[in-house]
Amino acid sequence: PESRDCAMATADNAAGRPNYVCKLTLNLHKRAVSSVKFSADGKWLASSSADMTVRLWNTSNWRCMQTLQGHSQGISDCAFSADSSYLASASDDRTVKLWEVSSGKLLKTMRGHANFVFCVDFNPQGNMLASGSFDESLRVWDVKTGRCLKILPAHSDPVSGVHFNCDGSLIVSGSHDGLCRIWDTATGQCLKTLIDDDNPPVSFVKFSPNGRFVLASLLDGTLRLWNYHKGKCLRTYSGHRNQVYA
């Protein structure tokens, strides 16, 4: 009821919480949506789905302009290049695919992972991709040729998140083994492993924009902020509840 919604909004405002309102629902996918990403230029929203497609939405009118089809199984993640010209998708069919945003054309298919590909990210320069898989490895790919440049035996459980830092010199990976690892992009060397007293499975990792910190989301419902230079957890944010994990 409207009166109940108003009462809840008033209570949220009184508590100092923002009053978020749903403006629009985009509902063309036929199965679960696994990832949504805005392009850097703000003109596109990409949504990947278990229905084996990525949809590209024009943010000026919210129309679906492209439906990217080519994967043979569900898609877990997608990522735009920094210039917003290209999009990469990671799929349960064990491949990473590279697409041209303007035309929706499939440019490359990168094969090599031995299990589901769960996450993908472009470096800031747009010439490399990193992908993480249920095969417990992290792979680095050359965008121009589609060739695998490095295979890093990164973790002892599925790799759930990968992200390049602001200059592309480092990659952070997170895994269901509860660890976050920092990698030198050029050499493939593991520079740091982030370990706390307890290590719940990691679901997502990201460098801060200035590259000084790493934020990890965990399946126990918390977020952890790390100073990765010191290997120290600075803060734990709680509030989410994951009843399945508990």
Side-chain angles (χ1 to χ4, degrees):
E2 185 177 346
S3 59
R4 180 175 178 272
D5 291 342
C6 291
M8 290 176 66
T10 302
D12 281 347
N13 290 336
R17 293 190 292 266
N19 181 25
Y20 294 112
V21 177
C22 179
K23 296 292 187 182
L24 189 67
T25 300
L26 308 175
N27 56 8
L28 292 181
H29 282 294
K30 297 176 182 177
R31 296 188 67 186
V33 177
S34 55
S35 177
V36 288
K37 301 283 176 67
F38 280 103
S39 60
D41 63 10
K43 294 180 180 179
W44 299 99
L45 175 69
S47 57
S48 63
S49 170
D51 67 8
M52 302 185 290
T53 69
V54 176
R55 289 184 178 267
L56 293 174
W57 309 83
N58 186 321
T59 59
S60 64
N61 56 22
W62 296 111
R63 291 179 181 172
C64 179
M65 307 304 292
Q66 303 282 359
T67 300
L68 310 182
Q69 296 176 295
H71 284 292
S72 60
Q73 294 190 45
I75 302 168
S76 293
D77 196 17
C78 61
F80 281 101
S81 59
D83 64 2
S84 305
S85 297
Y86 304 99
L87 183 120
S89 55
S91 171
D92 286 0
D93 66 12
R94 306 181 183 185
T95 69
V96 175
K97 290 185 182 291
L98 180 69
W99 312 81
E100 184 178 58
V101 171
S102 60
S103 66
K105 181 181 177 182
L106 174 62
L107 302 177
K108 295 244 177 355
T109 298
M110 294 163 230
R111 296 180 174 88
H113 279 296
N115 209 328
F116 308 147
V117 189
F118 197 73
C119 48
V120 67
D121 190 43
F122 275 95
N123 70 340
Q125 295 81 8
N127 64 333
M128 284 192 288
L129 281 166
S131 61
S133 168
F134 270 58
D135 66 12
E136 303 173 3
S137 76
L138 167 66
R139 285 180 178 247
V140 181
W141 308 86
D142 181 280
V143 169
K144 186 175 181 180
T145 65
R147 186 168 62 92
C148 181
L149 301 175
K150 289 182 179 63
I151 305 172
L152 308 179
H155 293 274
S156 59
D157 272 315
V159 179
S160 52
V162 291
H163 190 236
F164 283 94
N165 71 339
C166 54
D167 65 5
S169 63
L170 300 175
I171 304 170
V172 61
S173 63
S175 168
H176 290 179
D177 64 11
L179 304 179
C180 296
R181 290 199 160 114
I182 311 295
W183 305 86
D184 184 290
T185 304
T187 66
Q189 180 183 359
C190 181
L191 303 178
K192 187 80 69 173
T193 299
L194 307 179
I195 305 174
D196 209 356
D197 293 335
D198 61 328
N199 296 293
V202 177
S203 59
F204 190 78
V205 285
K206 197 173 183 70
F207 278 105
S208 61
N210 62 12
R212 294 174 56 194
F213 307 102
V214 166
L215 187 67
S217 63
L218 311 175
L219 290 187
D220 67 354
T222 66
L223 303 171
R224 290 182 184 176
L225 182 68
W226 293 85
N227 179 327
Y228 70 87
H229 292 288
K230 297 180 179 179
K232 182 180 180 181
C233 181
L234 302 177
R235 190 167 297 176
T236 299
Y237 302 92
S238 58
H240 293 289
R241 291 183 181 178
N242 185 350
Q243 300 293 348
V244 175
Y245 177 76

